[in-house]
Amino acid sequence: MNAWPDSVAKTPAVAVLDRALRDGRLAHSLIFQGDNLALLETAALALADRLLNPADTPQVYPPLKHPDFIALRPEGKLRQIKIGESGGGADENTMRGFLGRIDLTPQVGRHKVGVVFEADRMNAATSNAFLKTLEEPPRDTTLILLTTHPYSLLATILSRCLRFRFPSAASPVTHPDLQPWLELYRGWLRQLTEGVADKKGAAAQIFTLYALIARFERILDETAAATLKQEAGDAKDTMTDDELEALETGISVGVRQSLLSEIEHATRAFVADQPEFAPLLRVPLVASIRKLEECAGLLRANLSTTAALEEFFLASLRLWAQVGVTRRAAAAAA
């Protein structure tokens, strides 16, 4: 039986999953979300192993080779999960093919597990087809959706699944200016939520916003350049232009994702440090994380870093400043 990944073995998510398995109360539809897709896949396979290979099973199969394990992955240049042809002739790696296999009875055991990798790659048609199965799930079947962008999923899908967050296993960004940047960001949030009293204070918040964007871009560029130098090494001179461009792009995307994750963690920590204001901060927290994921999506679509960050920070400014307005109004009325 696969062990839980070391980095998540003692997390609340795993504790809840193990308890639900022990009590026979595991939900039929789960979302595993986090910053690192490889970690989510490992966690999903470990759970699938427990479901497909219980202690009394006569024959053990690795999850990926188990006859009752059904996988669906994005494919093609656009990395989309395809809907597939109607009429029962859909390829296996399409949503219709996936759902057709899900509806079958288990072949060797008592349970089936279906895993949708990178579930945020479903389009509207694919999502709606999947939603019908969530509404009337097959018996003895567990569906697991893996995503690094949960807010890209339909709200109706999110509402029908239990969500488990797994921490990132990615290497942390070690740029010396990252922690000062995060402190500036948290200070900016703090001032917004405490309320801005005059035009001078409002202008200061705008100036800080654009300072955050400029410093973020510098940290991103310098970290990506240092990583490229380390990974390419002496081989850089022998690489073709296409090989070098591919390596640079991959490194830039990875560093950018790590830095966006740092913003998410800092935002969540900012709210967690103020439990007395939790009801007031919960709505802007969810909205700002959703906006951050939209920002990541824009960056994946090759929008400039400056434009995407500007959209995120301007949205954050409106969200958190409204908290400040509410707090100042409450204080004045008290």
Side-chain angles (χ1 to χ4, degrees):
M1 181 178 289
N2 289 338
W4 289 105
D6 291 341
S7 56
V8 299
K10 297 182 179 180
T11 61
V14 166
V16 172
L17 288 168
D18 275 339
R19 185 165 59 249
L21 283 170
R22 185 179 62 248
D23 297 341
R25 299 172 61 88
L26 184 68
H28 64 78
S29 302
L30 313 172
I31 291 176
F32 285 7
Q33 65 187 67
D35 310 318
N36 186 281
L37 188 60
L39 182 69
L40 301 180
E41 291 185 12
T42 304
L45 292 178
L47 177 59
D49 189 32
R50 285 160 170 75
L51 292 167
L52 298 172
N53 296 307
D56 60 348
T57 187
Q59 189 170 4
V60 174
Y61 295 89
L64 288 174
K65 295 184 179 180
H66 199 289
D68 296 321
F69 180 88
I70 304 101
L72 178 59
R73 300 175 182 269
E75 60 181 19
K77 292 183 178 179
L78 297 178
R79 301 291 296 157
Q80 294 293 313
I81 294 177
K82 300 178 181 179
I83 183 67
E85 299 294 332
S86 60
D91 294 335
E92 284 191 357
N93 198 46
T94 64
M95 180 54 75
R96 286 196 173 109
F98 175 81
L99 296 178
R101 295 180 64 197
I102 285 292
D103 284 336
L104 300 176
T105 57
Q107 297 183 46
V108 299
R110 301 186 297 270
H111 208 89
K112 300 191 305 295
V113 175
V115 178
V116 182
F117 296 81
E118 298 181 72
D120 48 274
R121 294 290 187 169
M122 293 188 289
N123 58 26
T126 309
S127 297
N128 286 322
F130 183 67
L131 182 60
K132 295 178 181 178
T133 294
L134 282 182
E135 292 170 344
E136 298 180 11
R139 293 186 58 187
D140 303 318
T141 299
T142 299
L143 299 171
I144 309 173
L145 286 72
L146 311 183
T147 178
T148 54
H149 303 283
Y151 292 112
S152 295
L153 298 173
L154 291 180
T156 44
I157 289 180
L158 292 174
S159 67
R160 287 170 170 79
C161 300
L162 279 182
R163 295 162 62 180
F164 296 88
R165 191 174 191 285
F166 290 86
S168 174
S171 299
V173 176
T174 57
H175 193 287
D177 289 341
L178 177 59
Q179 291 306 315
W181 186 94
L182 292 172
E183 287 299 324
L184 177 63
Y185 172 64
R186 285 190 287 263
W188 182 66
L189 294 181
R190 189 177 306 109
Q191 291 175 359
L192 287 173
T193 55
E194 289 175 354
V196 178
D198 51 31
K199 292 183 178 179
K200 184 177 180 180
Q205 299 309 314
I206 296 293
F207 286 131
T208 301
L209 181 157
Y210 284 100
L212 284 166
I213 294 173
R215 290 175 65 177
F216 182 97
E217 290 186 292
R218 180 175 61 81
I219 293 170
L220 170 61
D221 292 343
E222 292 178 358
T223 302
T227 305
L228 176 64
K229 182 178 180 181
Q230 180 180 2
E231 293 195 8
D234 296 336
K236 183 177 180 180
D237 295 335
T238 63
M239 298 173 69
T240 66
D241 290 343
D242 288 343
E243 290 173 335
L244 185 58
E245 182 180 359
L247 180 61
E248 289 176 338
T249 300
I251 289 173
S252 180
V253 169
V255 172
R256 189 173 62 203
Q257 184 59 45
S258 294
L259 289 174
L260 293 178
S261 296
E262 292 284 357
I263 295 178
E264 179 182 348
H265 297 327
T267 308
R268 293 183 185 278
F270 169 75
V271 172
D273 288 343
Q274 303 180 81
E276 68 276 20
F277 297 116
L280 189 59
L281 299 176
R282 188 175 298 116
V283 171
L285 171 65
V286 172
S288 65
I289 298 303
R290 181 180 291 114
K291 197 65 184 178
L292 185 62
E293 293 192 352
E294 290 178 9
C295 169
L298 292 172
L299 290 171
R300 286 192 294 173
N302 294 322
L303 186 71
S304 76
T305 304
T306 301
L309 287 173
E310 184 177 49
E311 182 166 336
F312 165 70
F313 278 107
L314 287 174
S316 296
L317 176 68
R318 292 189 292 270
L319 289 166
W320 297 108
Q322 185 58 48
V323 174
V325 171
T326 302
R327 287 178 62 180
R328 290 181 69 85

PDB file of all heavy atoms in Angstrom, residues 1 4 17 22 30 39 47 65 69 85 89 102-103 128 136 148 179 183 191 207-208 210 214 227 236-237 258 268 324:
ATOM      1  N   MET A   1       0.851  -1.201   0.000  1.00  0.00           N
ATOM      2  CA  MET A   1       0.000   0.000   0.000  1.00  0.00           C
ATOM      3  C   MET A   1       0.882   1.245   0.000  1.00  0.00           C
ATOM      4  O   MET A   1       1.812   1.346   0.798  1.00  0.00           O
ATOM      5  CB  MET A   1      -0.909   0.007   1.237  1.00  0.00           C
ATOM      6  CG  MET A   1      -1.846   1.215   1.305  1.00  0.00           C
ATOM      7  SD  MET A   1      -2.945   1.167   2.745  1.00  0.00           S
ATOM      8  CE  MET A   1      -4.034  -0.178   2.269  1.00  0.00           C
ATOM      9  N   TRP A   4       1.434   7.816   2.426  1.00  0.00           N
ATOM     10  CA  TRP A   4       1.197   9.224   2.126  1.00  0.00           C
ATOM     11  C   TRP A   4       2.537   9.917   1.923  1.00  0.00           C
ATOM     12  O   TRP A   4       3.522   9.562   2.570  1.00  0.00           O
ATOM     13  CB  TRP A   4       0.451   9.887   3.272  1.00  0.00           C
ATOM     14  CG  TRP A   4      -0.978   9.480   3.418  1.00  0.00           C
ATOM     15  CD1 TRP A   4      -1.492   8.647   4.370  1.00  0.00           C
ATOM     16  CD2 TRP A   4      -2.074   9.862   2.592  1.00  0.00           C
ATOM     17  NE1 TRP A   4      -2.845   8.489   4.194  1.00  0.00           N
ATOM     18  CE2 TRP A   4      -3.238   9.229   3.100  1.00  0.00           C
ATOM     19  CE3 TRP A   4      -2.206  10.680   1.467  1.00  0.00           C
ATOM     20  CZ2 TRP A   4      -4.492   9.398   2.543  1.00  0.00           C
ATOM     21  CZ3 TRP A   4      -3.462  10.851   0.898  1.00  0.00           C
ATOM     22  CH2 TRP A   4      -4.585  10.220   1.434  1.00  0.00           C
ATOM     23  N   LEU A  17      -9.007  12.398   5.930  1.00  0.00           N
ATOM     24  CA  LEU A  17      -9.216  11.319   4.953  1.00  0.00           C
ATOM     25  C   LEU A  17      -9.081   9.943   5.608  1.00  0.00           C
ATOM     26  O   LEU A  17      -9.909   9.054   5.374  1.00  0.00           O
ATOM     27  CB  LEU A  17      -8.219  11.459   3.806  1.00  0.00           C
ATOM     28  CG  LEU A  17      -8.466  12.623   2.838  1.00  0.00           C
ATOM     29  CD1 LEU A  17      -7.259  12.834   1.941  1.00  0.00           C
ATOM     30  CD2 LEU A  17      -9.712  12.380   2.004  1.00  0.00           C
ATOM     31  N   ARG A  22     -11.603   5.013   7.740  1.00  0.00           N
ATOM     32  CA  ARG A  22     -11.769   4.082   8.864  1.00  0.00           C
ATOM     33  C   ARG A  22     -13.234   3.939   9.254  1.00  0.00           C
ATOM     34  O   ARG A  22     -13.696   2.848   9.576  1.00  0.00           O
ATOM     35  CB  ARG A  22     -10.951   4.581  10.055  1.00  0.00           C
ATOM     36  CG  ARG A  22     -10.958   3.620  11.245  1.00  0.00           C
ATOM     37  CD  ARG A  22     -10.124   4.163  12.377  1.00  0.00           C
ATOM     38  NE  ARG A  22     -10.616   5.420  12.904  1.00  0.00           N
ATOM     39  CZ  ARG A  22      -9.989   6.583  12.781  1.00  0.00           C
ATOM     40  NH1 ARG A  22      -8.835   6.652  12.131  1.00  0.00           N
ATOM     41  NH2 ARG A  22     -10.496   7.697  13.300  1.00  0.00           N
ATOM     42  N   LEU A  30     -14.245  14.370  -4.312  1.00  0.00           N
ATOM     43  CA  LEU A  30     -13.218  15.106  -3.587  1.00  0.00           C
ATOM     44  C   LEU A  30     -12.442  16.009  -4.540  1.00  0.00           C
ATOM     45  O   LEU A  30     -12.278  15.679  -5.717  1.00  0.00           O
ATOM     46  CB  LEU A  30     -12.227  14.146  -2.915  1.00  0.00           C
ATOM     47  CG  LEU A  30     -12.805  12.965  -2.141  1.00  0.00           C
ATOM     48  CD1 LEU A  30     -11.685  12.025  -1.729  1.00  0.00           C
ATOM     49  CD2 LEU A  30     -13.572  13.453  -0.919  1.00  0.00           C
ATOM     50  N   LEU A  39       2.607  16.650  -6.345  1.00  0.00           N
ATOM     51  CA  LEU A  39       2.265  16.267  -4.979  1.00  0.00           C
ATOM     52  C   LEU A  39       0.804  15.828  -4.887  1.00  0.00           C
ATOM     53  O   LEU A  39       0.479  14.833  -4.229  1.00  0.00           O
ATOM     54  CB  LEU A  39       2.526  17.432  -4.032  1.00  0.00           C
ATOM     55  CG  LEU A  39       2.260  17.157  -2.549  1.00  0.00           C
ATOM     56  CD1 LEU A  39       3.267  16.185  -1.995  1.00  0.00           C
ATOM     57  CD2 LEU A  39       2.275  18.464  -1.762  1.00  0.00           C
ATOM     58  N   LEU A  47      -4.438   7.569  -1.918  1.00  0.00           N
ATOM     59  CA  LEU A  47      -5.820   7.342  -1.513  1.00  0.00           C
ATOM     60  C   LEU A  47      -6.468   6.253  -2.374  1.00  0.00           C
ATOM     61  O   LEU A  47      -7.178   5.377  -1.863  1.00  0.00           O
ATOM     62  CB  LEU A  47      -6.626   8.641  -1.626  1.00  0.00           C
ATOM     63  CG  LEU A  47      -8.113   8.528  -1.301  1.00  0.00           C
ATOM     64  CD1 LEU A  47      -8.325   8.023   0.125  1.00  0.00           C
ATOM     65  CD2 LEU A  47      -8.817   9.871  -1.500  1.00  0.00           C
ATOM     66  N   LYS A  65      -2.341   0.819 -12.648  1.00  0.00           N
ATOM     67  CA  LYS A  65      -2.565  -0.391 -13.446  1.00  0.00           C
ATOM     68  C   LYS A  65      -3.793  -1.168 -12.986  1.00  0.00           C
ATOM     69  O   LYS A  65      -4.080  -2.242 -13.505  1.00  0.00           O
ATOM     70  CB  LYS A  65      -1.329  -1.288 -13.385  1.00  0.00           C
ATOM     71  CG  LYS A  65      -0.091  -0.663 -14.020  1.00  0.00           C
ATOM     72  CD  LYS A  65       1.086  -1.630 -14.009  1.00  0.00           C
ATOM     73  CE  LYS A  65       2.311  -1.007 -14.677  1.00  0.00           C
ATOM     74  NZ  LYS A  65       3.472  -1.935 -14.690  1.00  0.00           N
ATOM     75  N   PHE A  69      -9.331   1.573 -11.813  1.00  0.00           N
ATOM     76  CA  PHE A  69      -8.822   2.945 -11.712  1.00  0.00           C
ATOM     77  C   PHE A  69      -9.013   3.606 -13.071  1.00  0.00           C
ATOM     78  O   PHE A  69      -8.522   3.117 -14.088  1.00  0.00           O
ATOM     79  CB  PHE A  69      -7.345   2.943 -11.311  1.00  0.00           C
ATOM     80  CG  PHE A  69      -6.750   4.326 -11.192  1.00  0.00           C
ATOM     81  CD1 PHE A  69      -6.827   5.026 -10.005  1.00  0.00           C
ATOM     82  CD2 PHE A  69      -6.106   4.920 -12.270  1.00  0.00           C
ATOM     83  CE1 PHE A  69      -6.280   6.292  -9.881  1.00  0.00           C
ATOM     84  CE2 PHE A  69      -5.546   6.180 -12.155  1.00  0.00           C
ATOM     85  CZ  PHE A  69      -5.635   6.877 -10.962  1.00  0.00           C
ATOM     86  N   GLU A  85     -16.577  12.299 -28.581  1.00  0.00           N
ATOM     87  CA  GLU A  85     -17.727  12.096 -29.467  1.00  0.00           C
ATOM     88  C   GLU A  85     -18.903  11.489 -28.696  1.00  0.00           C
ATOM     89  O   GLU A  85     -18.724  10.713 -27.771  1.00  0.00           O
ATOM     90  CB  GLU A  85     -17.338  11.172 -30.619  1.00  0.00           C
ATOM     91  CG  GLU A  85     -16.205  11.712 -31.494  1.00  0.00           C
ATOM     92  CD  GLU A  85     -16.608  12.956 -32.251  1.00  0.00           C
ATOM     93  OE1 GLU A  85     -17.822  13.109 -32.534  1.00  0.00           O
ATOM     94  OE2 GLU A  85     -15.719  13.784 -32.546  1.00  0.00           O
ATOM     95  N   GLY A  89     -18.925   6.143 -28.739  1.00  0.00           N
ATOM     96  CA  GLY A  89     -17.655   5.832 -29.388  1.00  0.00           C
ATOM     97  C   GLY A  89     -16.517   6.711 -28.954  1.00  0.00           C
ATOM     98  O   GLY A  89     -15.506   6.824 -29.665  1.00  0.00           O
ATOM     99  N   ILE A 102     -16.724   4.974 -15.823  1.00  0.00           N
ATOM    100  CA  ILE A 102     -17.155   5.172 -14.437  1.00  0.00           C
ATOM    101  C   ILE A 102     -18.478   4.456 -14.172  1.00  0.00           C
ATOM    102  O   ILE A 102     -18.723   3.929 -13.082  1.00  0.00           O
ATOM    103  CB  ILE A 102     -17.288   6.682 -14.132  1.00  0.00           C
ATOM    104  CG1 ILE A 102     -15.910   7.326 -13.957  1.00  0.00           C
ATOM    105  CG2 ILE A 102     -18.133   6.933 -12.898  1.00  0.00           C
ATOM    106  CD1 ILE A 102     -15.163   6.879 -12.727  1.00  0.00           C
ATOM    107  N   ASP A 103     -19.345   4.413 -15.167  1.00  0.00           N
ATOM    108  CA  ASP A 103     -20.664   3.816 -14.982  1.00  0.00           C
ATOM    109  C   ASP A 103     -20.633   2.287 -14.911  1.00  0.00           C
ATOM    110  O   ASP A 103     -21.632   1.663 -14.523  1.00  0.00           O
ATOM    111  CB  ASP A 103     -21.596   4.243 -16.123  1.00  0.00           C
ATOM    112  CG  ASP A 103     -22.083   5.675 -15.948  1.00  0.00           C
ATOM    113  OD1 ASP A 103     -22.086   6.157 -14.799  1.00  0.00           O
ATOM    114  OD2 ASP A 103     -22.440   6.310 -16.948  1.00  0.00           O
ATOM    115  N   ASN A 128     -19.934  20.653 -17.729  1.00  0.00           N
ATOM    116  CA  ASN A 128     -21.363  20.354 -17.579  1.00  0.00           C
ATOM    117  C   ASN A 128     -21.650  18.862 -17.704  1.00  0.00           C
ATOM    118  O   ASN A 128     -22.520  18.323 -17.008  1.00  0.00           O
ATOM    119  CB  ASN A 128     -22.172  21.145 -18.613  1.00  0.00           C
ATOM    120  CG  ASN A 128     -22.274  22.617 -18.244  1.00  0.00           C
ATOM    121  OD1 ASN A 128     -22.411  22.963 -17.079  1.00  0.00           O
ATOM    122  ND2 ASN A 128     -22.194  23.480 -19.234  1.00  0.00           N
ATOM    123  N   GLU A 136     -25.563  12.693  -9.719  1.00  0.00           N
ATOM    124  CA  GLU A 136     -26.058  11.334  -9.512  1.00  0.00           C
ATOM    125  C   GLU A 136     -24.867  10.372  -9.627  1.00  0.00           C
ATOM    126  O   GLU A 136     -24.727   9.659 -10.628  1.00  0.00           O
ATOM    127  CB  GLU A 136     -27.126  10.996 -10.544  1.00  0.00           C
ATOM    128  CG  GLU A 136     -28.360  11.893 -10.461  1.00  0.00           C
ATOM    129  CD  GLU A 136     -29.394  11.519 -11.512  1.00  0.00           C
ATOM    130  OE1 GLU A 136     -29.244  10.458 -12.138  1.00  0.00           O
ATOM    131  OE2 GLU A 136     -30.345  12.298 -11.691  1.00  0.00           O
ATOM    132  N   THR A 148      -4.574  22.924  -9.391  1.00  0.00           N
ATOM    133  CA  THR A 148      -3.812  24.008  -8.768  1.00  0.00           C
ATOM    134  C   THR A 148      -4.561  25.335  -8.904  1.00  0.00           C
ATOM    135  O   THR A 148      -4.085  26.361  -8.437  1.00  0.00           O
ATOM    136  CB  THR A 148      -2.420  24.140  -9.417  1.00  0.00           C
ATOM    137  OG1 THR A 148      -2.569  24.292 -10.839  1.00  0.00           O
ATOM    138  CG2 THR A 148      -1.571  22.909  -9.141  1.00  0.00           C
ATOM    139  N   GLN A 179      11.279  38.188   1.559  1.00  0.00           N
ATOM    140  CA  GLN A 179      10.644  38.403   2.860  1.00  0.00           C
ATOM    141  C   GLN A 179      10.338  39.876   3.123  1.00  0.00           C
ATOM    142  O   GLN A 179       9.232  40.199   3.602  1.00  0.00           O
ATOM    143  CB  GLN A 179      11.510  37.808   3.977  1.00  0.00           C
ATOM    144  CG  GLN A 179      11.558  36.294   3.974  1.00  0.00           C
ATOM    145  CD  GLN A 179      10.169  35.657   3.993  1.00  0.00           C
ATOM    146  OE1 GLN A 179       9.287  36.083   4.758  1.00  0.00           O
ATOM    147  NE2 GLN A 179       9.952  34.645   3.160  1.00  0.00           N
ATOM    148  N   GLU A 183       6.570  41.376   3.758  1.00  0.00           N
ATOM    149  CA  GLU A 183       6.247  42.256   4.881  1.00  0.00           C
ATOM    150  C   GLU A 183       5.579  43.535   4.388  1.00  0.00           C
ATOM    151  O   GLU A 183       4.617  44.028   5.002  1.00  0.00           O
ATOM    152  CB  GLU A 183       7.523  42.597   5.666  1.00  0.00           C
ATOM    153  CG  GLU A 183       8.062  41.441   6.491  1.00  0.00           C
ATOM    154  CD  GLU A 183       7.063  40.976   7.543  1.00  0.00           C
ATOM    155  OE1 GLU A 183       6.335  41.831   8.106  1.00  0.00           O
ATOM    156  OE2 GLU A 183       6.997  39.761   7.793  1.00  0.00           O
ATOM    157  N   GLN A 191      -2.983  48.288   6.447  1.00  0.00           N
ATOM    158  CA  GLN A 191      -3.419  49.679   6.358  1.00  0.00           C
ATOM    159  C   GLN A 191      -4.760  49.797   5.638  1.00  0.00           C
ATOM    160  O   GLN A 191      -5.613  50.607   6.022  1.00  0.00           O
ATOM    161  CB  GLN A 191      -2.347  50.502   5.636  1.00  0.00           C
ATOM    162  CG  GLN A 191      -1.068  50.660   6.439  1.00  0.00           C
ATOM    163  CD  GLN A 191       0.026  51.373   5.664  1.00  0.00           C
ATOM    164  OE1 GLN A 191      -0.153  51.732   4.509  1.00  0.00           O
ATOM    165  NE2 GLN A 191       1.173  51.575   6.306  1.00  0.00           N
ATOM    166  N   PHE A 207       0.556  54.318  -4.426  1.00  0.00           N
ATOM    167  CA  PHE A 207       2.004  54.293  -4.657  1.00  0.00           C
ATOM    168  C   PHE A 207       2.599  52.965  -4.181  1.00  0.00           C
ATOM    169  O   PHE A 207       3.458  52.376  -4.839  1.00  0.00           O
ATOM    170  CB  PHE A 207       2.686  55.466  -3.945  1.00  0.00           C
ATOM    171  CG  PHE A 207       2.462  56.793  -4.617  1.00  0.00           C
ATOM    172  CD1 PHE A 207       2.044  57.902  -3.892  1.00  0.00           C
ATOM    173  CD2 PHE A 207       2.662  56.945  -5.985  1.00  0.00           C
ATOM    174  CE1 PHE A 207       1.822  59.123  -4.510  1.00  0.00           C
ATOM    175  CE2 PHE A 207       2.452  58.164  -6.610  1.00  0.00           C
ATOM    176  CZ  PHE A 207       2.024  59.261  -5.867  1.00  0.00           C
ATOM    177  N   THR A 208       2.133  52.489  -3.020  1.00  0.00           N
ATOM    178  CA  THR A 208       2.628  51.210  -2.498  1.00  0.00           C
ATOM    179  C   THR A 208       2.253  50.066  -3.437  1.00  0.00           C
ATOM    180  O   THR A 208       3.045  49.142  -3.661  1.00  0.00           O
ATOM    181  CB  THR A 208       2.045  50.940  -1.096  1.00  0.00           C
ATOM    182  OG1 THR A 208       2.412  52.006  -0.222  1.00  0.00           O
ATOM    183  CG2 THR A 208       2.575  49.628  -0.532  1.00  0.00           C
ATOM    184  N   TYR A 210       1.930  50.063  -6.709  1.00  0.00           N
ATOM    185  CA  TYR A 210       2.820  49.972  -7.877  1.00  0.00           C
ATOM    186  C   TYR A 210       4.262  49.664  -7.469  1.00  0.00           C
ATOM    187  O   TYR A 210       5.005  49.058  -8.252  1.00  0.00           O
ATOM    188  CB  TYR A 210       2.724  51.247  -8.709  1.00  0.00           C
ATOM    189  CG  TYR A 210       1.451  51.276  -9.523  1.00  0.00           C
ATOM    190  CD1 TYR A 210       0.343  52.004  -9.095  1.00  0.00           C
ATOM    191  CD2 TYR A 210       1.337  50.515 -10.671  1.00  0.00           C
ATOM    192  CE1 TYR A 210      -0.842  51.994  -9.818  1.00  0.00           C
ATOM    193  CE2 TYR A 210       0.159  50.499 -11.413  1.00  0.00           C
ATOM    194  CZ  TYR A 210      -0.931  51.234 -10.976  1.00  0.00           C
ATOM    195  OH  TYR A 210      -2.097  51.212 -11.705  1.00  0.00           O
ATOM    196  N   ALA A 214       6.457  46.523  -9.059  1.00  0.00           N
ATOM    197  CA  ALA A 214       7.810  46.691  -9.595  1.00  0.00           C
ATOM    198  C   ALA A 214       8.806  45.791  -8.876  1.00  0.00           C
ATOM    199  O   ALA A 214       9.660  45.151  -9.511  1.00  0.00           O
ATOM    200  CB  ALA A 214       8.233  48.161  -9.481  1.00  0.00           C
ATOM    201  N   THR A 227      18.376  30.948 -11.423  1.00  0.00           N
ATOM    202  CA  THR A 227      18.024  29.534 -11.587  1.00  0.00           C
ATOM    203  C   THR A 227      18.487  29.008 -12.938  1.00  0.00           C
ATOM    204  O   THR A 227      18.991  27.883 -13.046  1.00  0.00           O
ATOM    205  CB  THR A 227      16.504  29.344 -11.446  1.00  0.00           C
ATOM    206  OG1 THR A 227      16.080  29.890 -10.193  1.00  0.00           O
ATOM    207  CG2 THR A 227      16.133  27.875 -11.511  1.00  0.00           C
ATOM    208  N   LYS A 236      24.890  25.652 -21.411  1.00  0.00           N
ATOM    209  CA  LYS A 236      24.162  26.742 -22.059  1.00  0.00           C
ATOM    210  C   LYS A 236      24.737  27.082 -23.415  1.00  0.00           C
ATOM    211  O   LYS A 236      23.999  27.362 -24.371  1.00  0.00           O
ATOM    212  CB  LYS A 236      24.171  27.974 -21.143  1.00  0.00           C
ATOM    213  CG  LYS A 236      23.378  29.162 -21.680  1.00  0.00           C
ATOM    214  CD  LYS A 236      23.384  30.299 -20.691  1.00  0.00           C
ATOM    215  CE  LYS A 236      22.591  31.492 -21.231  1.00  0.00           C
ATOM    216  NZ  LYS A 236      22.581  32.626 -20.268  1.00  0.00           N
ATOM    217  N   ASP A 237      26.057  27.036 -23.538  1.00  0.00           N
ATOM    218  CA  ASP A 237      26.703  27.408 -24.797  1.00  0.00           C
ATOM    219  C   ASP A 237      26.450  26.391 -25.906  1.00  0.00           C
ATOM    220  O   ASP A 237      26.594  26.709 -27.089  1.00  0.00           O
ATOM    221  CB  ASP A 237      28.211  27.585 -24.578  1.00  0.00           C
ATOM    222  CG  ASP A 237      28.522  28.749 -23.650  1.00  0.00           C
ATOM    223  OD1 ASP A 237      27.683  29.677 -23.574  1.00  0.00           O
ATOM    224  OD2 ASP A 237      29.585  28.726 -22.990  1.00  0.00           O
ATOM    225  N   SER A 258       5.717  29.852  -7.906  1.00  0.00           N
ATOM    226  CA  SER A 258       6.161  29.830  -6.503  1.00  0.00           C
ATOM    227  C   SER A 258       5.926  31.180  -5.836  1.00  0.00           C
ATOM    228  O   SER A 258       5.493  31.249  -4.678  1.00  0.00           O
ATOM    229  CB  SER A 258       7.646  29.456  -6.433  1.00  0.00           C
ATOM    230  OG  SER A 258       7.849  28.130  -6.860  1.00  0.00           O
ATOM    231  N   ARG A 268      -3.415  34.472   3.336  1.00  0.00           N
ATOM    232  CA  ARG A 268      -4.100  33.606   4.302  1.00  0.00           C
ATOM    233  C   ARG A 268      -3.559  33.836   5.716  1.00  0.00           C
ATOM    234  O   ARG A 268      -4.324  33.848   6.692  1.00  0.00           O
ATOM    235  CB  ARG A 268      -3.940  32.146   3.904  1.00  0.00           C
ATOM    236  CG  ARG A 268      -4.661  31.759   2.610  1.00  0.00           C
ATOM    237  CD  ARG A 268      -4.509  30.276   2.332  1.00  0.00           C
ATOM    238  NE  ARG A 268      -5.086  29.900   1.055  1.00  0.00           N
ATOM    239  CZ  ARG A 268      -6.374  29.657   0.839  1.00  0.00           C
ATOM    240  NH1 ARG A 268      -7.228  29.740   1.853  1.00  0.00           N
ATOM    241  NH2 ARG A 268      -6.826  29.306  -0.350  1.00  0.00           N
ATOM    242  N   GLY A 324     -11.885  48.252   5.444  1.00  0.00           N
ATOM    243  CA  GLY A 324     -11.531  49.453   6.205  1.00  0.00           C
ATOM    244  C   GLY A 324     -12.692  50.415   6.355  1.00  0.00           C
ATOM    245  O   GLY A 324     -12.908  50.996   7.446  1.00  0.00           O
TER     246      GLY A 324
END
